């Protein structure tokens, strides 16, 4: 019954059941709605009902003493910490601030979900290990706004508090509508075929180019009112919303219709503006003003990563690269500071990032070489790392080189610069507990793809979200706990995805029909893993390897596709991880993990059976009002490979259909391990 994110808890087997009549004494509407949504559908005879759940500011000394006595630890004040004390039919949540109330409600809703509304007696105390826990995403398309809201609720479910939203050309600009017109036209060209952006970036020019973010907003843009409503939805759930306004680099959205300020004169797809041209700032500050008006943020992310074109135009030639880079940052920083807004940026260009084997990254001087052949292309990116001592030290460093070499981050810590690990990934992050001692602010996971559920799953973002939450909320975590953490994250994702089905699984249905068919299956089909980012577009239909045919009592049928990487994956996966580059836990920067295993999490639940991995999947019945009489497995020809089915059952099924005779009627027709070759 324990919340898997919790470090300090003691529960009893006794308790009460959360019902629709439970009084929720809390002024936060979202919290009340969350708990009412977790209430039991029915209550057993003679079962105690939970009368009240009260939320109280502060933690009184009597409760602190109870924490010492019951949980054997000391309470420490924390603005996001919370205490739950369940005593008989009354539950009290104590917290210093509203976020603590929300996280307490999240924990109670999880307990209720797992126990069909049952809340055990006992005590729980928890607080996060770091203050910044977030995800970086693009704006959704208009059609995906409902999913954006479900995704935000999922962030709350895993107790995140920050969302970074890249704005770029995907929001309406009233003063500069030409930005939006150019953005749509530009993205239409990039959507010509999957991978076109990679061809442009890596195989077309004799210089490096930034990645092209055409997936932002689906290549279109939302109105300011639509964005304002999305921001409001986040803030109602107490999330810090940080708009990212790419500047200096990644500025294709600004330059499509303003080529007069581009740095590289011969680039047909310019992505860097001239930091010596006053017109660059006239345009950028107009954009910032509109973003500030819509988001009303405390912090703005100004980008500044992957800067490859600098000191090239007539106005910039001869100027030190670090001065150009620092001058641009300082000017934007000053503009934001006057408006009471903090600055965040991608920080790799402030690092003299030379690895132990001599490879150059970030702000070091870099020779541009062909990505495939390694042949020098004739240009060198000048060093910018000296700018680290020319810029303000209170900016938030989004440090995304944590996985290359660990000493890189020391440049920031030595100068007292606040560090947030960017592009964070809990499963591959090495030695979290030790690196946490230097007091980084936390981590922000990134999805460099469309804000769609399938993309987030296949890119491993959803698994990283669930896994990383464990690092962010468990003060006892260490790297030896990986397999345990992965299993818990798999289960938590699966429960989140199929919440209603799993809540109702133990409750007999009065109606005929079946809501879900649960199958446990695997395959020896294998495909090389790659992420769907930077213009590699996802089409799940391309990963179909078979289907289940649901046959109904009335003679009708419905097909449900079996999709590799989505609801099934390869059987021969590894659940362990090893430090990259042969290092040890305490020296490596990151781990190697099995991405093929992780991408299937959420829609399916990976399960180890002997030396093989199976995948549990709840198939939603397209016709829940009809009675299923059989399930037929078809394996696509000539995809290649076999599919094995270990278990199959109906969830939920009416009581009279749960007899042995009924179960025998559900069968797999054909060979479950039918070869397709």
């Amino acid at each position: 019954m324990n919340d898997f994110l919790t470090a300090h808890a003691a529960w009893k087997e006794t308790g009460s059941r959360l019902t629709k009549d439970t009084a929720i004494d809390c002024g936060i509407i979202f919290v009340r709605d969350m708990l009412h949504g977790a209430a039991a559908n029915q209550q057993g005879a003679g079962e105690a009902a939970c009368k009240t759940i009260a939320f109280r500011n502060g933690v009184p000394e009597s409760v602190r003493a109870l924490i010492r006595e019951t949980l054997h630890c000391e309470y420490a004040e924390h603005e996001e910490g919370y205490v739950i004390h369940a005593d008989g039919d009354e539950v009290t949540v104590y917290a210093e601030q509203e976020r603590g109330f929300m996280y307490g409600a999240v924990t109670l809703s999880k307990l209720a979900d797992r126990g069909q509304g049952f809340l055990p007696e006992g005590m729980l105390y928890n607080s996060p290990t770091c203050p910044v826990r977030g995800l970086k995403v693009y704006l959704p398309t208009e059609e995906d706004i409902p999913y954006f809201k479900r995704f935000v609720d999922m962030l709350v479910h895993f107790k995140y508090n920050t969302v970074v939203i890249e704005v770029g050309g995907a929001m309406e600009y009233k003063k500069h509508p030409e930005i939006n017109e150019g953005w749509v036209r530009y993205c239409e060209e990039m959507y010509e075929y999957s991978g076109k952006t990679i061809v442009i970036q890596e195989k077309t020019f004799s210089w490096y180019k930034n990645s092209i973010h055409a997936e932002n907003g689906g290549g279109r843009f939302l109105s300011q009112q639509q964005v304002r409503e999305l921001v409001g939805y986040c803030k109602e759930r107490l999330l810090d919303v940080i708009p990212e306004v790419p500047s200096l680099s990644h500025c294709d959205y600004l330059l499509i219709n303003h080529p007069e300020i581009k740095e590289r004169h011969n680039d047909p797809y310019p992505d860097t503006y001239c930091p010596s041209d006053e017109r660059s700032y006239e345009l950028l500050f107009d954009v910032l003003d509109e973003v500030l008006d819509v988001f009303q943020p405390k912090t703005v992310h100004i980008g500044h990563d992957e800067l490859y074109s600098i000191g090239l135009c007539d106005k910039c030639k001869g100027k030190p690269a670090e001065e150009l880079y620092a001058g641009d940052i300082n000017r934007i920083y000053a503009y934001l500071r006057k408006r009471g807004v903090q600055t965040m940026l991608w920080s790799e260009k402030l690092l003299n990032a030379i690895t132990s084997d001599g490879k150059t990254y970030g702000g070091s001087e870099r020779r541009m070489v062909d990505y495939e052949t390694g042949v020098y292309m004739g240009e060198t990116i000048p060093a910018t790392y000296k700018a680290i001592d020319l810029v303000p030290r209170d900016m938030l460093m989004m440090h995304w080189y944590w996985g290359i070499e660990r000493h890189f981050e020391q440049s920031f810590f030595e100068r007292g610069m606040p560090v947030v690990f960017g592009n964070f990934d809990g499963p591959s992050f090495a030695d979290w507990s030790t690196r946490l001692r230097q007091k980084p602010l936390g981590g922000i996971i990134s999805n460099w793809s469309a804000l769609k559920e399938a993309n987030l799953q296949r890119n491993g973002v959803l698994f990283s979200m669930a896994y990383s939450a464990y690092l962010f909320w468990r003060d006892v975590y260490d790297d030896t706990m990986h397999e345990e953490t992965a299993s818990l994250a798999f289960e938590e994702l699966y429960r989140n995805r199929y919440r209603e089905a799993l809540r109702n699984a133990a409750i007999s249905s009065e109606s005929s029909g079946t809501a879900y068919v649960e199958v446990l299956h695997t395959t020896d089909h294998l495909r090389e893993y790659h992420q769907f980012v930077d213009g590699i577009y996802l089409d799940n239909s391309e990963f179909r390897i078979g289907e289940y045919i649901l046959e109904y009592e009335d003679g009708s049928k419905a097909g449900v596709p079996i999709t590799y990487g989505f609801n099934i994956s390869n059987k021969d996966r590894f659940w362990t991880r090893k430090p990259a580059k042969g290092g040890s836990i305490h020296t490596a920067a990151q781990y190697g993990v099995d991405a093929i295993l992780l991408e299937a999490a959420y829609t399916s639940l990976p399960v180890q059976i002997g030396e093989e991995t199976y995948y549990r999947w709840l198939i939603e019945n397209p016709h829940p009002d009809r009675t299923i009489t059989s399930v037929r497995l078809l394996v696509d020809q000539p995809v290649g490979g076999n599919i094995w089915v270990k278990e199959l059952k109906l969830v939920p099924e009416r009581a009279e259909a749960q007899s042995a005779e009924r179960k025998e009627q559900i069968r797999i027709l054909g060979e479950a391990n039918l070869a397709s070759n």
Side-chain angles (χ1 to χ4, degrees), residues 169-170 179-187 213 216 219-220 253 256:
I179 292 177
N180 301 124
E181 184 279 327
W183 172 251
V184 171
R185 176 165 43 84
Y186 176 69
C187 292
H213 297 177
N216 193 10
R220 290 172 282 166
Y253 73 103
I256 297 160

Side-chain angles (χ1 to χ4, degrees), residues 348-362:
E348 90 278 5
K349 295 299 291 186
L350 299 175
L351 297 173
N352 190 21
I354 303 175
T355 64
S356 56
D357 57 359
K359 293 181 180 178
T360 56
Y361 298 93

Side-chain angles (χ1 to χ4, degrees), residues 126-138:
N126 204 10
S127 60
T129 61
C130 53
V132 177
R133 310 174 303 280
L135 273 91
K136 187 271 182 196
V137 297
Y138 291 146

Side-chain angles (χ1 to χ4, degrees), residues 59-132:
V59 181
E61 182 54 41
S62 60
V63 175
R64 299 182 188 212
L66 198 56
I67 290 172
R68 285 193 293 270
E69 177 185 343
T70 306
L71 303 180
H72 311 293
C73 64
E74 290 291 330
Y75 174 80
E77 291 189 6
H78 193 291
E79 63 182 16
E80 294 183 282
Y82 62 97
V83 178
I84 297 174
H85 184 208
D87 186 11
D89 56 6
E90 295 185 351
V91 178
T92 308
V93 179
Y94 301 94
E96 307 292 342
Q97 295 188 15
E98 286 187 335
R99 272 189 184 157
F101 290 157
M102 183 173 67
Y103 298 143
V106 167
T107 296
L108 289 172
S109 69
K110 291 179 182 180
L111 290 170
D113 280 344
R114 292 170 187 172
Q116 283 75 52
F118 180 77
L119 298 177
E121 282 190 286
M123 174 164 278
L124 177 152
Y125 161 50
N126 204 10
S127 60
T129 61
C130 53
V132 177

Side-chain angles (χ1 to χ4, degrees), residues 632-653:
R632 182 189 300 271
L633 168 65
L634 297 179
V635 181
D636 286 351
Q637 305 275 356
V639 169
N642 308 288
I643 296 174
W644 288 269
V645 178
K646 192 83 170 178
E647 298 175 4
L648 187 141
K649 63 180 180 180
L650 306 182
V651 182
E653 181 62 280

Side-chain angles (χ1 to χ4, degrees), residues 329-341:
I329 291 173
N330 291 339
R331 186 159 184 181
I332 301 170
Y333 170 90
Y335 192 84
L336 292 174
R337 187 175 184 180
K338 284 182 179 179
R339 288 149 183 81
V341 177

Side-chain angles (χ1 to χ4, degrees), residues 139-157:
L139 279 168
T141 63
E142 185 172 4
E143 296 79 10
D144 287 325
I145 286 177
Y147 175 70
F148 176 92
K149 294 179 178 179
R150 295 197 301 274
F151 171 74
V152 168
D153 288 344
M154 194 172 179
L155 288 179
V156 173
H157 177 87

